Amino acid sequence: QVWQIRLDMHLLNHDGNITDAASIAGIVALCHFRRPDVSVQGEEVTVYTPEERDPVPLSIHHMPICVSFAFFHQGTYLLVDPTEREERVMDGLLVIAMNKHHEICTIQSSGVVMLLPDQILRCSKITAVKVAEITELIQKALENDQKARKEGGKFGFAESIPNQRITTFKMDSAAVDTNDVEEQAEEIIAKADPPSEVFASPVVHTPGTAQIGEGIESSWGDLEESEKEEAAEEEGESEAAAFECEKVETEDTSTLKETKNEPIVLSDSEEEEVVILEPQELPRKTR
């Protein structure tokens, strides 16, 4: 027989990076949980109440903590713990779960950005520092809770609501003055350094490796020898076809000039009569 434990999470406020918040809340709940003590004699199992024996904690050997990294501008810029607005405009997301012993538990990557090995190593080093800090905070919170329980003080989720500990980050809506926005923007632009490269036409970068616009050469590499020969043959065939077309048009034009003033012969298939008319005597409608 085993114990069955189910962990449910309810979001009170989602302002971004829900993975890290859920992992911290989940591991703290499991560390804080106490199960009833039991004894086994033969096939008889006795479950003791909290009044009979103190509940016992779970056997948790390590605490895996998730740390999320948001990437912008195709991986050029890196941001830890993105907010909800930052997640809307990010190119990709990397989540690394690690414990305080620098053991990686899982890695998850999503988005349209392609990460290099150096970027992943850099993120893992940052994760090790963040996990050590978060683990220390969790252990201190658990120790303070246990101390409060022994002293008979107030503790628990229900006691946190009247003290507004859960809603401490709640902010009332406030109006924003936008009268001097244009002046401030012009001042920022004037003080900013000019771009390193200036293109005559705008270049619109799309997610991935391709790009649209003028001013940048293709980065697909040089053509191979066989491809160069095929391209030269196609170019030669197109030039020959254009020359033949031009020659035929020239011949047709000269023939038309020669036969412009000659009489036109009309054949009447019903009466089998041949009529020769001069160009100026042509009727508007002919058979």
Side-chain angles (χ1 to χ4, degrees), residues 259-266 275-280 282:
T259 59
K260 183 176 181 181
N261 297 324
E262 293 182 358
I264 299 176
V265 179
L266 300 177
V275 182
I276 300 176
L277 300 176
E278 295 296 332
Q280 62 273 15
L282 283 175

Side-chain angles (χ1 to χ4, degrees), residues 80-272:
V80 185
D81 190 9
T83 62
E84 191 266 341
R85 290 187 177 182
E86 293 166 344
E87 288 181 349
R88 291 184 182 182
V89 297
M90 65 182 181
D91 295 334
L93 181 70
L94 178 66
V95 181
I96 300 178
M98 183 184 296
N99 56 22
K100 66 178 182 180
H101 306 294
H102 298 181
E103 296 174 348
I104 296 178
C105 303
T106 180
I107 295 180
Q108 180 184 7
S109 177
S110 60
V112 296
V113 65
M114 298 180 65
L115 301 178
L116 299 175
D118 294 340
Q119 292 174 314
I120 299 177
L121 291 175
R122 179 189 176 191
C123 293
S124 64
K125 293 179 181 178
I126 298 175
T127 302
V129 178
K130 292 294 182 182
V131 167
E133 296 175 357
I134 296 173
T135 303
E136 185 178 358
L137 292 175
I138 292 174
Q139 292 175 348
K140 288 183 178 179
L142 294 174
E143 292 175 0
N144 294 335
D145 179 81
Q146 187 177 4
K147 182 179 179 181
R149 289 174 183 271
K150 289 182 178 180
E151 294 177 355
K154 294 183 179 181
F155 52 85
F157 180 78
E159 298 297 334
S160 300
I161 297 177
N163 298 330
Q164 296 184 354
R165 295 180 182 176
I166 299 176
T167 58
T168 52
F169 296 103
K170 182 179 178 181
M171 298 178 61
D172 297 331
S173 59
V176 179
D177 186 10
T178 59
N179 294 327
D180 300 333
V181 172
E182 295 183 0
E183 298 179 0
Q184 294 177 4
E186 292 177 358
E187 184 179 356
I188 293 173
I189 294 174
K191 293 181 179 180
D193 296 332
S196 58
E197 296 181 1
V198 179
F199 303 103
S201 301
V203 179
V204 182
H205 296 280
T206 58
T209 57
Q211 55 191 10
I212 304 174
E214 299 177 356
I216 299 181
E217 298 181 355
S218 175
S219 60
W220 295 107
D222 298 333
L223 297 176
E224 297 181 357
E225 295 296 332
S226 58
E227 294 178 348
K228 290 182 179 180
E229 294 177 359
E230 293 178 359
E233 292 178 0
E234 293 178 357
E235 184 178 359
E237 292 177 358
S238 60
E239 292 179 357
F243 178 75
E244 292 292 337
C245 182
E246 183 179 358
K247 181 178 180 182
V248 171
E249 291 178 356
T250 305
E251 293 178 355
D252 293 343
T253 305
S254 60
T255 304
L256 181 61
K257 290 180 180 180
E258 293 176 359
T259 59
K260 183 176 181 181
N261 297 324
E262 293 182 358
I264 299 176
V265 179
L266 300 177
S267 175
D268 192 345
S269 59
E270 296 179 358
E271 302 177 358
E272 296 182 359

